[in-house]
Amino acid sequence: MRLKDLAEHLGLSQTTVSRALNGYPEVNEATRRRVAEAANLLGYRPNASALRLATGRAGAVGLVLRGADELGPHMSEFLSGVGSYMASQEIDMLVSTVASHQEELAAYRRLAASQKVDAVILHSPTISDERAELLMDLKIPFVLHGRTNIGHPVAWLDIDNTSALERATSHLLDLGHRRIALLNGVKGRTFAQHREIGYRAALTARGLTVDPALVGNSVFTDEIAFRMAQAMLEQRPRPTAFLAGSMMTALGVFRAIRQAGLELGSDVSMIAHDDVFPYLNADNMYPTMSTTRSSIRQAGTRIAELIMQILAGKPLADVHELWPVELVLRESSGPAPKG
């Protein structure tokens, strides 16, 4: 089907149909939806090369990863969500890897100079993220996976980390636990700060103070989690419950619990943040793992959609989404041991 045929089918001009498909802001939302639905129904696909010539866009979205730690299973799932949606829109993904913060900033400057991408996805933001400020100065559109506060409106999608950890901690407190360890993300990352706020709020509400020896910050790997949990279990009194920042962290904690001769779910409880990995199912673990559940793949898909909305002219101040996090209770979280 040609553009002319689609326009005749809709009773619209070719110019209006083209502008609707290309996301021009002067086309109203009702018309844009009508054109998109008809194009999908009738199998119309614009020629990618012609589209780039007509719009001046590069037809690509950028993502810069820093270090091997960011190339783990979480990013794999996230990219699956982003990439699948972008492929359906005939948009390419340009993924770069760098070794340091300064190299990452330099990568964004190169992207701006080369005009190779139309937008950037900014992940794992810090509380006041220098990268977001730079992208605004470079006038590169971006969507944050997370939140930051730089004094300007930015587009973001985040999960409610504070509420998730407050609920998980409160549940363990309801079970009688008082020595609850938190294995959190890297200090300075917004999500890690939000999780610690929720953890502290739940303890404070019960009149308990936070023991700094029971709070750890690191990247989410099995080995680091094992070492941290091992050291915490050697304390006296030891923790009776763990809050694990990811399923990879949970694997390390579980290993430390077993090595200490303890049993998960009875001697020590655990609730992990579960990113719904297809190859690491909380229901299939033994014992099954209690989780705060949120799909990072779905987040990737939605961020890709938000990128396209921004490129179509949607104001940044209107692109703010905070997703609730589900608490799923299974066998790994039980009553605090007596004595």
Side-chain angles (χ1 to χ4, degrees):
M1 171 169 278
R2 298 171 301 166
L3 180 68
K4 179 182 177 182
D5 301 324
L6 180 61
E8 288 178 354
H9 173 80
L10 290 164
L12 298 171
S13 70
Q14 291 184 51
T15 300
T16 298
V17 172
S18 176
R19 287 178 176 271
L21 290 170
N22 294 335
Y24 282 82
E26 59 263 33
V27 180
N28 67 55
E29 189 63 30
T31 300
R32 186 179 291 112
R33 280 200 303 269
R34 182 180 164 223
V35 171
E37 288 169 3
N40 185 55
L41 181 67
L42 299 173
Y44 173 78
R45 302 294 296 176
N47 180 277
S49 298
L51 180 61
R52 288 165 192 170
L53 286 172
T55 62
R57 293 181 186 168
V61 169
L63 178 69
V64 181
L65 304 178
R66 193 195 320 161
D69 293 332
E70 292 188 342
L71 293 170
H74 299 89
M75 185 54 66
S76 174
E77 277 295 284
F78 181 71
L79 281 173
S80 293
V82 174
S84 294
Y85 181 82
M86 288 304 184
S88 74
Q89 303 299 306
E90 298 188 7
I91 301 292
D92 296 325
M93 287 293 301
L94 181 61
V95 180
S96 305
T97 57
V98 295
S100 69
H101 176 65
Q102 290 305 316
E103 286 185 18
E104 184 176 0
L105 297 180
Y108 294 129
R109 294 189 182 96
R110 287 196 302 274
L111 288 175
S114 67
Q115 299 183 333
K116 286 182 178 179
V117 299
D118 301 309
V120 163
I121 296 171
L122 199 57
H123 60 95
S124 300
T126 58
I127 298 159
S128 180
D129 203 299
E130 183 184 0
R131 301 171 303 168
E133 294 176 335
L134 175 63
L135 289 171
M136 292 198 75
D137 290 342
L138 295 172
K139 295 182 170 48
I140 300 180
F142 65 93
V143 172
L144 278 164
H145 184 204
R147 281 174 280 174
T148 191
N149 183 9
I150 59 171
H152 301 283
V154 296
W156 55 265
L157 178 147
D158 200 4
I159 63 173
D160 194 347
N161 283 292
T162 298
S163 176
L165 264 289
E166 187 170 5
R167 286 180 63 202
T169 307
S170 294
H171 175 69
L172 292 171
L173 290 166
D174 289 342
L175 291 171
H177 296 277
R178 293 298 178 265
R179 299 276 294 166
I180 302 172
L182 171 64
L183 271 60
N184 205 352
V186 175
K187 210 163 187 63
R189 298 284 173 88
T190 309
F191 80 87
Q193 183 195 53
H194 288 173
R195 289 182 183 183
E196 186 169 333
I197 288 171
Y199 168 74
R200 288 178 175 272
L203 292 173
T204 300
R206 306 296 177 97
L208 301 173
T209 57
V210 176
D211 182 349
L214 292 182
V215 178
N217 294 87
S218 73
V219 294
F220 294 141
T221 69
D222 167 273
E223 187 59 29
I224 292 177
F226 170 70
R227 300 298 177 194
M228 291 173 65
Q230 188 179 47
M232 290 177 177
L233 288 170
E234 289 174 355
Q235 297 177 26
R236 293 295 178 267
R238 63 169 175 78
T240 62
F242 284 86
L243 293 162
S246 77
M247 287 297 281
M248 300 308 295
T249 301
L251 291 177
V253 175
F254 182 46
R255 191 152 56 95
I257 290 170
R258 292 192 63 180
Q259 189 179 81
L262 301 170
E263 186 175 341
L264 179 62
S266 55
D267 299 318
V268 183
S269 289
M270 178 159 50
I271 299 177
H273 182 65
D274 170 25
D275 287 313
V276 197
F277 294 131
Y279 44 82
L280 189 57
N281 192 319
D283 281 315
N284 294 336
M285 299 177 76
Y286 182 79
T288 56
M289 184 68 66
S290 293
T291 60
T292 54
R293 184 165 63 188
S294 177
S295 170
I296 197 168
R297 182 178 293 209
Q298 289 179 8
T301 300
R302 182 57 181 160
I303 284 176
E305 293 173 351
L306 295 176
I307 286 277
M308 300 307 294
Q309 290 180 18
I310 286 174
L311 292 176
K314 189 168 185 176
L316 299 179
D318 294 343
V319 184
H320 294 162
E321 293 191 9
L322 184 63
W323 287 9
V325 179
E326 186 180 4
L327 177 62
V328 183
L329 300 177
R330 299 185 181 91
E331 297 170 345
S332 68
S333 54
K338 295 179 181 179

